[in-house]
């Protein structure tokens, strides 16, 4: 889902409009919705009301209103079976099957009007274009060119296009390449070594690219401790490079005015993260003058993403914005906005107007469809697919869709989450029984849960589990105030909200209190493990995937972009060392009192396996069910399909054994210690990962 708040700040859009040649206008921060009584509620609004019902059981508190949720009547052909024991066509092989995913937002060639985007399959990225006139998709880059940038380590903004010429960053050598037409061979443009490029734009007036450049040469040669960032101008013919702007820690979004006279960019410095504070600069290019205009505004920190666009049609005075879960058109004259009804519920990565301004292109998805590039008519909302998304061949009768929940938490506050009810058209549970609950913690932590189709979730819900995906305080999509609540409170508010969400669905009679479990991976596992070390935790079992368990390790062992992330989330390490100790699951792991299964890669350099083995041994020593599964060909974050399939089946099987139900179609060769009060004597299982 998009992670941008409603951030249309007045100074920024005024500067943006001046770049596009639009006269000065007043832009309200959040214009009123047209026909608001008929519009869908926006996720960023606290006056949220929801009138539709969900699929199960009574009473969820949503937006302060108790909504009755009717029990689904079993069909005449469905079979009665306990929750958790339903067979399902959503197999682990189906879940882990590679799909082609749109990974960068659409860019419009301003001359030809062709729509360009990037897709990833099996870990490699390629650029495509769509011709709106003949409705044809054409691939540009060959398989031996992985179109990806590694600037700021996370990349993004790996290509730009002008007049049927593509400029892109190649992952194999980090250089910029030029390709004239989809059938031509790319030629290397930049010649420097150990440099990375991203987020570029081409200027015909200068016949040059303006790019964010990250120089790693002095770091790798033992000089600087961090790479140097700058904005460079690269001659589009010769590749000759010149630094235009430097002396800041980070740069993003260099853009050129249509007359080629001014450069606009964003920069920020340690210890701030870009979503906390950054600055926009406008500077003359010909004189390289130092008299610059500075404006401060909120902007999401990933390169290449853009949650808004200005209609290029002369006199249109219109913008399109991804706002929460809505695709919204802002009338800059009337100071009003309206939601475009497309049939999709989630928009991500970015949005762009067509050359004529009558259509927009964005990446859309919903609870039954994977993300794909779509074309939307602005006036009517008519929506057509552009990219061929590989949706799973699963009937809707096995697909559970998310329902937004608002629930009370600590400090008299509220938090949010998405509830997925058990759903399988072939089975129903015995009357009077309740399903087990699996709670999910999203990555980030300043990110958000997504309502796009997730077959990992459907693997559980189609077998009789309920899932709660928690958007704790600090998540994006609910306004900047909500996101900033996590400042210096990570390990507190996120943990309290995860616990509050689980307790809420239990209190409302939606799930079985005795069968509440939680899982998460990597950095998000910090919240999960913290919740499991809270005395009297509502959770009865947990699953950790290569879980980060010590915030001090994250604060002292990370790359430049995240160097001061922990300072914003917890506090300065030197001044607040006590917080890093008291909020560390690793240093408080003796509090673990629930069955646990741990999945880890033998080659994990972020979280050493020995660190997790200590937690496993503790749980095992306490005579609690425990398992430790190590994949010998994996590092931090699993990449092999076999590992993912085995881990998914092992997790479900572990919960089934702990909660005493028999899965119908899941088998696993894992060994669980202490299942019958006896230890097996095996410390861990070693699984070779096969490609």
């Amino acid at each position: 889902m998009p992670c941008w708040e409603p951030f249309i700040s007045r100074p920024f859009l005024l500067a943006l409009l001046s770049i596009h040649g639009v006269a000065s206008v007043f832009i309200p921060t959040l214009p009123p919705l047209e026909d608001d009584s008929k519009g869908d509620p926006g996720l960023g609004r606290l006056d949220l009301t929801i009138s539709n019902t969900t699929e199960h059981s009574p009473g969820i508190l949503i937006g302060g209103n108790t909504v009755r949720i009717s029990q689904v009547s079993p069909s005449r052909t469905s079979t009665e079976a306990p929750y958790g024991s339903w067979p399902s066509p959503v197999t682990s092989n189906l879940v882990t099957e590679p799909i082609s995913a749109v990974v960068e937002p659409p860019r419009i060639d301003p001359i030809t009007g062709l729509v360009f985007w990037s897709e990833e399959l099996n870990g490699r990225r390629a650029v495509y274009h769509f011709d709106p006139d003949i409705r044809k998709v054409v691939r540009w880059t060959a398989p031996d060119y992985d179109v990806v940038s590694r600037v700021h380590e996370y990349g993004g903004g790996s290509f730009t296009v002008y007049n049927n010429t593509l400029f892109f960053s190649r992952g194999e050598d980090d250089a910029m390449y030029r390709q004239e037409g989809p059938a031509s061979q790319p030629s290397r443009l930049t010649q420097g070594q150990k440099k990375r490029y991203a987020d570029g734009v081409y200027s015909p007036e200068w016949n040059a690219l303006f790019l964010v450049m990250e120089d790693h040469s002095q770091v790798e040669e033992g000089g600087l401790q961090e790479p140097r960032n700058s904005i460079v101008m690269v001659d589009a013919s010769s590749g000759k490079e010149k630094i235009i702007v430097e002396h800041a820690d980070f740069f993003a979004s260099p853009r050129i005015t249509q007359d080629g006279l001014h450069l606009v960019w964003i920069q920020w410095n340690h210890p701030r993260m870009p979503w906390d504070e950054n600055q926009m600069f406008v500077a003359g290019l010909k004189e390289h003058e130092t008299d610059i205009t500075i404006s401060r505004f909120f902007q999401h920190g990933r390169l290449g993403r853009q949650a808004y666009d200005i209609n290029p049609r002369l006199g249109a005075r219109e913008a399109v914005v991804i706002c929460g879960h809505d695709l919204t058109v802002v009338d800059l004259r009337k100071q009003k906005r309206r939601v475009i009804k497309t049939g999709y519920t989630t928009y991500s990565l970015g949005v762009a107007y067509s050359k004529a301004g009558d259509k927009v292109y964005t990446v859309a998805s919903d609870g039954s469809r994977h993300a794909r590039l779509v074309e939307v008519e602005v006036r009517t909302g008519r929506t057509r697919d552009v990219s061929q998304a590989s949706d799973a061949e699963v009937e809707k009768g096995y697909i559970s869709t998310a329902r937004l929940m608002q629930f009370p938490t600590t400090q008299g506050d509220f938090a949010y989450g998405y509830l997925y009810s058990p759903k399988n058209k072939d089975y129903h549970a015995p009357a009077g029984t309740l399903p087990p609950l699996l709670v999910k913690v999203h990555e980030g932590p300043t990110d958000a849960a997504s309502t796009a189709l997730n077959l990992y979730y459907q693997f559980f819900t189609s077998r009789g589990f309920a899932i709660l995906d928690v958007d704790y305080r600090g998540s994006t999509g609910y306004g900047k105030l909500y996101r900033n609540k996590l400042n210096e409170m990570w390990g507190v508010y996120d943990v309290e909200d995860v616990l509050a969400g689980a307790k809420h669905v239990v209190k409302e009679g939606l799930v079985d209190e005795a069968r509440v479990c939680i899982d998460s991976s990597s950095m998000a596992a910090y919240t999960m493990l913290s919740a499991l070390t809270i005395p009297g935790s509502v959770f009865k079992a947990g699953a950790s995937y290569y879980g980060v368990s010590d915030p001090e390790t994250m604060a002292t062992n990370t790359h430049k972009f995240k160097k001061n992330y922990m300072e914003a989330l917890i506090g300065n390490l030197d001044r607040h060392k006590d917080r890093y100790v008291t909020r560390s699951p690793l240093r408080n792991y003796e509090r673990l009192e629930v069955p646990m299964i741990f999945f880890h890669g033998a080659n994990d350099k972020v979280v050493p396996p020995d660190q997790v083995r200590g937690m496993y041994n503790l749980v095992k020593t306490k005579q609690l069910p425990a398992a430790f599964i190590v994949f010998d060909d994996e590092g931090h974050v699993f990449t092999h399909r076999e590992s993912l399939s085995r881990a998914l089946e092992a997790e479900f099987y572990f919960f089934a054994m702990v909660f005493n139900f028999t899965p119908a179609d899941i088998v696993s060769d894992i060994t669980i210690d202490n299942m019958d009060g006896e230890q097996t004597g095996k410390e861990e299982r070693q699984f070779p990962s096969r490609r």
Side-chain angles (χ1 to χ4, degrees), residues 533-561:
T533 56
I534 295 293
S537 175
V538 67
F539 297 111
K540 311 302 181 184
S544 172
Y545 288 76
Y546 37 89
V548 174
S549 59
D550 187 41
E552 184 173 350
T553 301
M554 291 183 281
T556 56
N557 183 27
T558 189
H559 51 80
K560 179 182 177 181
F561 184 78

Side-chain angles (χ1 to χ4, degrees), residues 42-282:
L43 288 180
R45 299 170 59 184
L46 294 181
D47 58 342
L48 178 66
T49 57
I50 294 181
S51 58
N52 57 321
T53 60
T54 60
E55 299 170 330
H56 271 276
S57 208
I60 291 184
L61 184 67
I62 305 182
N65 298 313
T66 300
V67 178
R68 304 301 297 179
I69 303 176
S70 59
Q71 177 76 27
V72 174
S73 300
S75 68
R76 294 180 179 179
T77 59
S78 68
T79 302
E80 184 174 281
Y83 287 114
S85 67
W86 305 342
S88 167
V90 186
T91 64
S92 63
N93 285 333
L94 179 65
V95 172
T96 60
E97 183 177 353
I99 62 172
S100 183
V102 180
V103 290
E104 290 202 27
R107 286 179 177 262
I108 312 300
D109 187 327
I111 305 301
T112 67
L114 298 178
V115 184
F116 286 75
W117 73 97
S118 172
E119 287 190 22
E120 180 178 22
L121 180 63
N122 291 323
R124 296 188 68 81
R125 301 185 178 193
V127 173
Y128 298 79
H129 89 231
F130 169 69
D131 189 329
D133 294 330
I134 62 175
R135 306 204 67 77
K136 183 179 180 181
V137 173
V138 176
R139 177 170 177 160
W140 276 62
T141 52
D144 53 339
Y145 289 87
D146 186 16
V147 181
V148 64
S149 167
R150 295 187 296 146
V151 171
H152 300 166
E153 301 302 327
Y154 296 100
S158 63
F159 74 91
T160 191
V161 62
Y162 187 88
N163 197 17
N164 215 40
T165 299
L166 175 69
F167 303 92
F168 65 89
S169 167
R170 186 184 185 190
E172 287 81 359
D173 54 22
D174 293 320
M176 290 298 297
Y177 282 72
R178 175 176 180 151
Q179 183 176 348
E180 299 181 9
S184 66
Q185 181 71 17
S187 60
R188 181 165 175 164
L189 188 61
T190 58
Q191 301 302 319
Q193 300 297 316
K194 301 176 182 177
K195 292 181 178 180
R196 304 174 182 178
Y197 303 87
D199 212 8
V201 63
Y202 173 81
S203 170
E205 288 75 19
W206 292 85
N207 185 33
L209 292 167
F210 291 83
L211 298 140
V212 176
M213 190 270 283
E214 190 171 81
D215 188 348
H216 287 252
S217 59
Q218 295 189 41
V219 175
E220 297 183 19
E221 293 169 3
L224 298 178
Q225 292 184 343
E226 295 181 341
R228 294 188 307 173
N229 290 70
S230 61
I231 293 176
V232 296
M233 181 172 68
V234 176
D235 188 285
S237 299
S238 67
K240 184 179 179 181
E241 182 178 305
K242 180 179 181 180
I243 294 178
I244 300 297
V245 183
E246 54 183 340
H247 305 305
D249 291 324
F250 300 97
F251 294 92
S253 305
R255 299 294 180 260
I256 303 294
T257 52
Q258 292 180 354
D259 58 11
L261 296 179
H262 291 85
L263 171 67
V264 183
W265 74 92
I266 298 166
Q267 69 181 49
W268 66 97
N269 291 293
H270 290 313
R272 301 297 183 186
M273 300 302 288
W275 47 81
D276 293 322
E277 180 180 294
N278 57 46
Q279 295 174 315
M280 183 180 76
F281 289 78
V282 180

Side-chain angles (χ1 to χ4, degrees), residues 12 68 161 202 314 333 408 430 451 474 566 586 589 655 660 665:
F12 170 62
R68 304 301 297 179
V161 62
Y202 173 81
L314 187 64
R333 286 193 184 94
T451 58
M566 292 300 103
L586 178 65
Y589 72 96
F655 289 147
N660 196 28
D665 57 355

